[in-house]
Amino acid sequence: MATLPNPLPRLTSLGLRLPAGRLVDETTEGPWHEPLLWLAEEQATAGAWARLRAAAPQAGLLPVLLDVGGGHGEPEGWELMPGEVSYPGDHDADEVLAAFWDEDPLEDEDWPGLAPSPVPAADPDERAAAVADSLTDGRPWFKEPHLALVPARRSADIPAAIGWSGPVNYEEDVARLCAVLRSWEDRFGIRVVALGFDHLAVSVAAPPTDLAEAEAVAAEHYAFCPYTVLVDTDDTLTSHAQKLVGERIWHFWWD
Protein backbone atom coordinates (compact mmCIF):
# COMPACT_ATOMS: atom_id res chain seq x y z
CA MET A 1 0.00 0.00 0.00
CA ALA A 2 1.30 3.47 -0.90
CA THR A 3 1.66 5.50 2.30
CA LEU A 4 3.15 8.69 3.66
CA PRO A 5 6.18 8.41 6.00
CA ASN A 6 5.29 6.43 9.11
CA PRO A 7 5.52 8.60 12.26
CA LEU A 8 5.35 5.66 14.70
CA PRO A 9 9.15 5.17 14.91
CA ARG A 10 9.29 8.80 16.19
CA LEU A 11 6.32 8.41 18.51
CA THR A 12 8.13 9.48 21.67
CA SER A 13 9.18 12.76 20.05
CA LEU A 14 5.72 13.75 18.79
CA GLY A 15 4.56 15.32 22.03
CA LEU A 16 1.45 13.18 22.40
CA ARG A 17 0.36 12.43 25.95
CA LEU A 18 -0.10 8.68 25.73
CA PRO A 19 -0.79 6.04 28.37
CA ALA A 20 1.55 3.07 28.69
CA GLY A 21 1.62 1.08 25.47
CA ARG A 22 3.75 -0.62 22.86
CA LEU A 23 4.44 -0.67 19.13
CA VAL A 24 3.17 -3.67 17.16
CA ASP A 25 4.95 -4.94 14.03
CA GLU A 26 4.02 -8.65 13.99
CA THR A 27 2.61 -10.06 10.72
CA THR A 28 1.96 -13.49 9.23
CA GLU A 29 5.49 -13.35 7.78
CA GLY A 30 7.24 -12.18 10.93
CA PRO A 31 8.13 -8.64 12.03
CA TRP A 32 7.25 -5.89 9.53
CA HIS A 33 9.98 -3.42 8.56
CA GLU A 34 8.26 -0.67 10.57
CA PRO A 35 5.60 -0.51 13.30
CA LEU A 36 2.03 -1.02 12.13
CA LEU A 37 0.32 0.49 15.16
CA TRP A 38 0.70 1.62 18.74
CA LEU A 39 -1.47 -0.20 21.30
CA ALA A 40 -2.35 0.95 24.82
CA GLU A 41 -1.78 -1.56 27.63
CA GLU A 42 -4.95 -0.73 29.59
CA GLN A 43 -8.58 -0.86 28.51
CA ALA A 44 -9.87 2.36 26.96
CA THR A 45 -11.96 4.76 29.01
CA ALA A 46 -14.52 7.35 27.96
CA GLY A 47 -12.94 10.45 26.46
CA ALA A 48 -9.64 8.79 25.53
CA TRP A 49 -10.51 8.43 21.83
CA ALA A 50 -11.58 12.07 21.56
CA ARG A 51 -8.41 13.34 23.27
CA LEU A 52 -6.19 11.49 20.81
CA ARG A 53 -8.38 12.44 17.83
CA ALA A 54 -7.78 16.09 18.72
CA ALA A 55 -3.98 15.79 18.69
CA ALA A 56 -2.80 12.75 16.74
CA PRO A 57 -3.92 13.61 13.15
CA GLN A 58 -1.41 16.46 12.96
CA ALA A 59 1.27 13.79 13.39
CA GLY A 60 -0.24 11.55 10.70
CA LEU A 61 -1.88 9.16 13.17
CA LEU A 62 -5.50 8.25 13.77
CA PRO A 63 -7.08 6.53 16.78
CA VAL A 64 -9.06 3.31 16.66
CA LEU A 65 -10.32 0.92 19.32
CA LEU A 66 -9.03 -2.64 19.05
CA ASP A 67 -10.83 -5.55 20.70
CA VAL A 68 -8.20 -7.65 22.50
CA GLY A 69 -10.79 -9.67 24.44
CA GLY A 70 -11.83 -12.03 21.66
CA GLY A 71 -10.60 -15.56 21.12
CA HIS A 72 -7.67 -14.32 19.01
CA GLY A 73 -6.42 -11.91 21.65
CA GLU A 74 -4.15 -9.01 20.82
CA PRO A 75 -3.26 -7.88 17.28
CA GLU A 76 -0.03 -9.89 17.23
CA GLY A 77 -2.35 -12.89 16.79
CA TRP A 78 -4.58 -11.35 14.13
CA GLU A 79 -2.59 -12.57 11.11
CA LEU A 80 -1.93 -9.06 9.80
CA MET A 81 -0.85 -9.02 6.14
CA PRO A 82 0.34 -5.53 5.13
CA GLY A 83 2.33 -6.95 2.24
CA GLU A 84 -0.87 -8.19 0.56
CA VAL A 85 -2.68 -4.84 0.58
CA SER A 86 -3.00 -2.49 -2.38
CA TYR A 87 -3.88 1.23 -2.22
CA PRO A 88 -7.56 2.07 -1.50
CA GLY A 89 -7.46 4.99 -3.92
CA ASP A 90 -6.81 2.61 -6.80
CA HIS A 91 -10.29 1.09 -6.47
CA ASP A 92 -13.75 2.47 -7.23
CA ALA A 93 -16.37 1.84 -4.54
CA ASP A 94 -19.25 1.39 -6.99
CA GLU A 95 -17.28 -1.13 -9.04
CA VAL A 96 -16.17 -3.03 -5.92
CA LEU A 97 -19.69 -3.32 -4.54
CA ALA A 98 -21.15 -4.18 -7.95
CA ALA A 99 -18.63 -7.03 -8.31
CA PHE A 100 -19.52 -8.41 -4.88
CA TRP A 101 -23.24 -8.09 -5.62
CA ASP A 102 -22.95 -9.85 -8.97
CA GLU A 103 -21.26 -12.83 -7.30
CA ASP A 104 -24.38 -13.46 -5.20
CA PRO A 105 -27.26 -11.16 -6.20
CA LEU A 106 -30.36 -11.02 -4.04
CA GLU A 107 -33.36 -12.48 -5.89
CA ASP A 108 -31.36 -12.19 -9.14
CA GLU A 109 -31.73 -8.41 -9.08
CA ASP A 110 -29.20 -6.14 -10.78
CA TRP A 111 -26.85 -4.04 -8.66
CA PRO A 112 -28.92 -0.95 -7.73
CA GLY A 113 -25.95 1.43 -7.52
CA LEU A 114 -24.70 3.63 -4.72
CA ALA A 115 -27.16 5.15 -2.28
CA PRO A 116 -27.55 8.95 -2.18
CA SER A 117 -26.11 10.98 0.69
CA PRO A 118 -28.53 11.84 3.51
CA VAL A 119 -28.36 15.15 5.37
CA PRO A 120 -25.71 14.95 8.13
CA ALA A 121 -27.16 14.68 11.63
CA ALA A 122 -23.88 15.37 13.43
CA ASP A 123 -20.27 16.37 12.95
CA PRO A 124 -18.45 13.16 11.88
CA ASP A 125 -15.66 13.44 14.45
CA GLU A 126 -18.02 14.36 17.28
CA ARG A 127 -20.25 11.42 16.38
CA ALA A 128 -17.19 9.14 16.26
CA ALA A 129 -16.09 10.27 19.71
CA ALA A 130 -19.55 9.58 21.14
CA VAL A 131 -19.67 6.13 19.54
CA ALA A 132 -16.16 5.32 20.76
CA ASP A 133 -17.18 6.29 24.30
CA SER A 134 -20.24 4.02 24.04
CA LEU A 135 -17.96 1.09 23.20
CA THR A 136 -15.57 1.50 26.12
CA ASP A 137 -17.89 -0.49 28.41
CA GLY A 138 -17.79 -3.38 25.96
CA ARG A 139 -20.53 -5.12 23.99
CA PRO A 140 -21.21 -8.79 23.23
CA TRP A 141 -19.27 -8.40 19.99
CA PHE A 142 -16.66 -5.99 21.44
CA LYS A 143 -15.42 -7.28 24.76
CA GLU A 144 -12.21 -5.44 25.70
CA PRO A 145 -11.44 -2.24 23.77
CA HIS A 146 -7.91 -0.88 23.87
CA LEU A 147 -6.93 2.38 22.23
CA ALA A 148 -4.56 2.22 19.26
CA LEU A 149 -2.90 4.69 16.89
CA VAL A 150 -2.47 3.88 13.21
CA PRO A 151 -0.43 5.78 10.59
CA ALA A 152 -3.23 6.86 8.24
CA ARG A 153 -4.55 10.15 6.87
CA ARG A 154 -8.11 8.91 6.37
CA SER A 155 -10.10 6.91 8.87
CA ALA A 156 -11.31 4.69 6.04
CA ASP A 157 -7.72 3.60 5.35
CA ILE A 158 -7.04 2.25 8.86
CA PRO A 159 -7.72 -1.42 8.00
CA ALA A 160 -5.41 -1.25 4.97
CA ALA A 161 -2.70 0.61 6.89
CA ILE A 162 -2.29 -2.31 9.32
CA GLY A 163 -2.89 -5.07 6.78
CA TRP A 164 -6.05 -6.19 8.57
CA SER A 165 -7.12 -9.65 7.44
CA GLY A 166 -10.53 -9.86 9.10
CA PRO A 167 -12.49 -10.23 5.82
CA VAL A 168 -9.90 -12.53 4.17
CA ASN A 169 -12.44 -15.34 3.58
CA TYR A 170 -14.57 -12.84 1.66
CA GLU A 171 -11.97 -10.47 0.17
CA GLU A 172 -8.22 -11.01 0.32
CA ASP A 173 -7.29 -7.38 -0.40
CA VAL A 174 -8.82 -5.25 2.34
CA ALA A 175 -7.98 -2.10 0.36
CA ARG A 176 -11.00 -2.86 -1.86
CA LEU A 177 -13.22 -2.68 1.20
CA CYS A 178 -11.41 0.48 2.30
CA ALA A 179 -12.40 2.05 -1.02
CA VAL A 180 -16.01 1.48 0.02
CA LEU A 181 -15.27 2.92 3.47
CA ARG A 182 -13.83 6.00 1.75
CA SER A 183 -17.06 6.41 -0.18
CA TRP A 184 -19.07 6.01 3.03
CA GLU A 185 -16.79 8.55 4.66
CA ASP A 186 -17.72 11.03 1.92
CA ARG A 187 -21.44 10.21 1.76
CA PHE A 188 -22.37 9.20 5.31
CA GLY A 189 -19.64 10.76 7.44
CA ILE A 190 -18.44 7.39 8.75
CA ARG A 191 -15.33 6.91 10.83
CA VAL A 192 -13.66 3.56 11.50
CA VAL A 193 -13.98 3.47 15.28
CA ALA A 194 -13.36 -0.18 16.21
CA LEU A 195 -11.71 -3.32 14.87
CA GLY A 196 -11.60 -6.88 16.14
CA PHE A 197 -10.02 -9.98 14.65
CA ASP A 198 -12.87 -10.36 12.15
CA HIS A 199 -15.28 -7.50 12.79
CA LEU A 200 -15.40 -3.75 12.20
CA ALA A 201 -17.54 -0.91 13.53
CA VAL A 202 -17.97 2.54 12.06
CA SER A 203 -19.71 5.62 13.41
CA VAL A 204 -22.27 7.25 11.12
CA ALA A 205 -22.85 11.00 11.08
CA ALA A 206 -25.41 10.95 8.24
CA PRO A 207 -27.53 7.81 8.66
CA PRO A 208 -30.58 7.19 6.44
CA THR A 209 -33.63 9.02 7.68
CA ASP A 210 -36.40 6.81 6.26
CA LEU A 211 -36.92 3.27 5.04
CA ALA A 212 -36.42 4.09 1.36
CA GLU A 213 -33.01 5.63 2.06
CA ALA A 214 -32.17 2.76 4.39
CA GLU A 215 -33.01 0.07 1.81
CA ALA A 216 -30.56 1.68 -0.62
CA VAL A 217 -27.88 1.59 2.09
CA ALA A 218 -28.80 -1.98 3.04
CA ALA A 219 -27.99 -3.10 -0.51
CA GLU A 220 -24.49 -1.68 -0.06
CA HIS A 221 -24.17 -3.43 3.30
CA TYR A 222 -25.16 -6.74 1.70
CA ALA A 223 -22.53 -6.39 -1.01
CA PHE A 224 -19.92 -5.23 1.52
CA CYS A 225 -20.62 -7.92 4.14
CA PRO A 226 -23.55 -10.30 3.52
CA TYR A 227 -23.01 -12.05 6.87
CA THR A 228 -24.23 -8.93 8.67
CA VAL A 229 -27.40 -8.53 6.64
CA LEU A 230 -28.66 -12.10 6.39
CA VAL A 231 -27.87 -13.33 9.89
CA ASP A 232 -30.92 -15.63 10.12
CA THR A 233 -32.85 -17.48 7.44
CA ASP A 234 -35.83 -15.13 7.72
CA ASP A 235 -33.75 -11.95 7.36
CA THR A 236 -34.27 -9.74 4.31
CA LEU A 237 -32.82 -6.53 2.94
CA THR A 238 -35.87 -4.72 4.29
CA SER A 239 -35.53 -6.15 7.80
CA HIS A 240 -31.90 -5.01 7.84
CA ALA A 241 -32.88 -1.59 6.46
CA GLN A 242 -35.37 -1.08 9.29
CA LYS A 243 -32.46 -1.24 11.75
CA LEU A 244 -30.49 1.43 9.85
CA VAL A 245 -32.91 4.36 10.07
CA GLY A 246 -31.17 6.91 12.30
CA GLU A 247 -28.60 4.32 13.41
CA ARG A 248 -25.32 5.92 14.45
CA ILE A 249 -23.14 2.79 14.35
CA TRP A 250 -22.74 0.12 11.66
CA HIS A 251 -21.17 -3.16 12.71
CA PHE A 252 -19.88 -5.79 10.29
CA TRP A 253 -18.39 -9.24 10.80
CA TRP A 254 -16.96 -11.79 8.41
CA ASP A 255 -17.00 -15.57 8.63
Side-chain angles (χ1 to χ4, degrees):
M1 172 180 169
T3 60
L4 295 171
N6 186 345
L8 286 176
R10 302 181 289 105
L11 187 59
T12 57
S13 67
L14 297 179
L16 301 175
R17 299 179 62 184
L18 300 176
R22 68 181 188 278
L23 297 175
V24 175
D25 65 359
E26 190 62 32
T27 75
T28 56
E29 298 181 350
W32 194 236
H33 64 273
E34 60 184 2
L36 296 170
L37 59 97
W38 169 88
L39 180 69
E41 291 182 2
E42 300 296 330
Q43 185 163 330
T45 57
W49 195 97
R51 285 192 294 272
L52 276 188
R53 185 63 181 82
Q58 287 75 23
L61 297 167
L62 292 178
V64 65
L65 295 174
L66 300 187
D67 182 10
V68 305
H72 293 272
E74 299 179 351
E76 287 89 345
W78 286 11
E79 302 175 356
L80 301 179
M81 299 188 296
E84 304 301 317
V85 178
S86 62
Y87 178 57
D90 289 339
H91 308 284
D92 178 80
D94 191 21
E95 293 177 359
V96 169
L97 290 173
F100 286 143
W101 179 278
D102 289 343
E103 289 178 8
D104 188 18
L106 280 176
E107 300 178 357
D108 294 325
E109 294 183 7
D110 292 334
W111 166 239
L114 298 181
S117 305
V119 176
D123 174 82
D125 291 324
E126 291 179 1
R127 173 58 53 85
V131 167
D133 282 353
S134 76
L135 296 178
T136 56
D137 291 332
R139 298 198 179 190
W141 47 266
F142 199 68
K143 302 184 185 305
E144 188 179 340
H146 283 222
L147 196 63
L149 286 173
V150 174
R153 295 292 182 181
R154 295 186 62 155
S155 175
D157 291 353
I158 287 174
I162 67 172
W164 186 57
S165 61
V168 69
N169 291 334
Y170 185 65
E171 170 55 54
E172 294 182 356
D173 183 2
V174 75
R176 284 165 48 80
L177 296 179
C178 288
V180 178
L181 293 174
R182 282 185 170 202
S183 179
W184 289 352
E185 201 172 51
D186 295 337
R187 288 181 291 137
F188 305 112
I190 70 102
R191 297 290 186 266
V192 174
V193 172
L195 287 172
F197 172 74
D198 56 3
H199 60 97
L200 173 152
V202 304
S203 60
V204 189
T209 59
D210 57 39
L211 186 58
E213 288 183 355
E215 286 184 328
V217 175
E220 295 192 34
H221 282 198
Y222 174 76
F224 184 79
C225 181
Y227 314 98
T228 318
V229 176
L230 305 183
V231 180
D232 298 313
T233 55
D234 57 347
D235 285 335
T236 65
L237 214 59
T238 297
S239 65
H240 181 70
Q242 290 169 341
K243 304 172 187 176
L244 298 180
V245 177
E247 179 57 47
R248 64 179 192 161
I249 182 170
W250 296 343
H251 174 238
F252 305 93
W253 65 274
W254 287 265
D255 190 1

